[in-house]
């Protein structure tokens, strides 16, 4: 350990750890691999965590106390991933078809939603904002979410409408 050869080898070893070990920590800070990738679209870990919390919260509102491990054992994680895969495929197809929903149409749809109406039957902005806050959404984020949902409904709506057989 006292020879200069060993000191040089330790120096190289320290430099190697500094270059490859510490560099990876700083290079990938805040970046994680997506949970799902469909073409250009990615479903991030943060989006998955949000959807998982939302599902668990829905169970709690129904009086069921289910934790994440129980939810996964019941197939809930697979269900979330399957739903997201389907939605991502539909989004890609909607992009290929260049389907768009104007923001004004989405806002009108939101204002017609009975969940956001007061006792007089009129749109109540305060009630709207309170419900968004309870669900961890912003107004702009909800409008974009609704635009996306309406765009996907353009693809799926006609396929899932009830069939009426002519007389």
């Amino acid at each position: 350990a006292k020879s200069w050869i060993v000191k040089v080898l330790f120096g190289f070893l320290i430099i190697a750890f500094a270059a490859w070990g510490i560099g990876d920590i700083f290079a990938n800070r805040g970046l994680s691999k997506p949970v799902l990738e469909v073409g250009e679209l990615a479903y991030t870990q943060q989006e998955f965590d949000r959807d998982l919390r939302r599902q668990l919260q829905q169970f709690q509102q129904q009086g069921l106390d289910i934790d994440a491990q129980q939810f996964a054992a019941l197939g809930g994680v697979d269900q979330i991933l399957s739903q997201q895969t389907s939605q991502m495929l539909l989004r890609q197809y909607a992009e290929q078809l260049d389907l768009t929903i104007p923001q004004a149409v989405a806002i009108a749809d939101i204002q017609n939603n009975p969940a956001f109406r007061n006792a007089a039957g009129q749109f109540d902005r305060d009630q709207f904002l309170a419900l968004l806050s309870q669900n961890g959404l912003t107004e702009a984020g909800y409008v974009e979410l609704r635009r996306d949902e309406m765009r996907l409904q353009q693809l799926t709506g006609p396929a899932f409408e009830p069939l009426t057989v002519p007389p």
Side-chain angles (χ1 to χ4, degrees):
K2 292 185 179 186
S3 74
W4 64 274
I5 295 174
V6 174
K7 290 179 184 178
V8 170
L9 288 175
F10 275 128
F12 282 127
L13 192 61
I14 291 169
I15 291 171
F17 276 119
W20 285 293
I22 297 173
D24 287 344
I25 293 171
F26 294 113
N28 294 327
R29 175 158 282 185
L31 299 176
S32 63
K33 288 182 70 174
V35 177
L36 286 173
E37 287 181 300
V38 176
E40 300 286 324
L41 302 174
Y43 182 58
T44 65
Q45 182 68 42
Q46 291 82 7
E47 292 169 323
F48 174 75
D49 290 342
R50 178 201 63 214
D51 292 340
L52 178 62
R53 281 192 309 273
R54 191 170 288 149
Q55 285 287 337
L56 293 174
Q57 189 177 37
Q58 285 177 358
F59 280 117
Q60 288 176 349
Q61 289 172 350
Q62 295 171 358
L64 301 171
D65 190 23
I66 296 176
D67 64 13
Q69 289 79 16
Q70 293 169 327
F71 183 72
L74 293 171
V77 171
D78 293 334
Q79 182 181 3
I80 290 173
L81 295 177
S82 176
Q83 287 173 346
Q84 286 302 320
T85 302
S86 298
Q87 286 187 358
M88 290 169 76
L89 287 168
L90 285 172
R91 281 188 190 99
Q92 267 202 318
Y93 189 56
E95 284 292 322
Q96 289 175 353
L97 296 176
D98 200 27
L99 294 177
T100 58
I101 299 292
Q103 186 175 15
V105 172
I107 290 171
D109 181 71
I110 291 168
Q111 290 174 343
N112 289 327
N113 187 333
F116 304 130
R117 292 180 180 253
N118 59 18
Q122 296 176 333
F123 177 75
D124 186 346
R125 182 168 174 75
D126 292 332
Q127 184 174 343
F128 170 68
L129 294 174
L131 284 170
L132 290 183
S133 177
Q134 287 175 359
N135 290 295
L137 296 168
T138 64
E139 184 176 3
Y142 184 72
V143 170
E144 285 306 310
L145 181 67
R146 190 65 197 123
R147 284 178 72 190
D148 186 49
E149 288 173 352
M150 293 174 75
R151 188 171 74 140
L152 297 183
Q153 285 174 350
Q154 285 184 334
L155 293 173
T156 60
F160 293 107
E161 291 292 319
L163 293 176
T164 54
V165 179

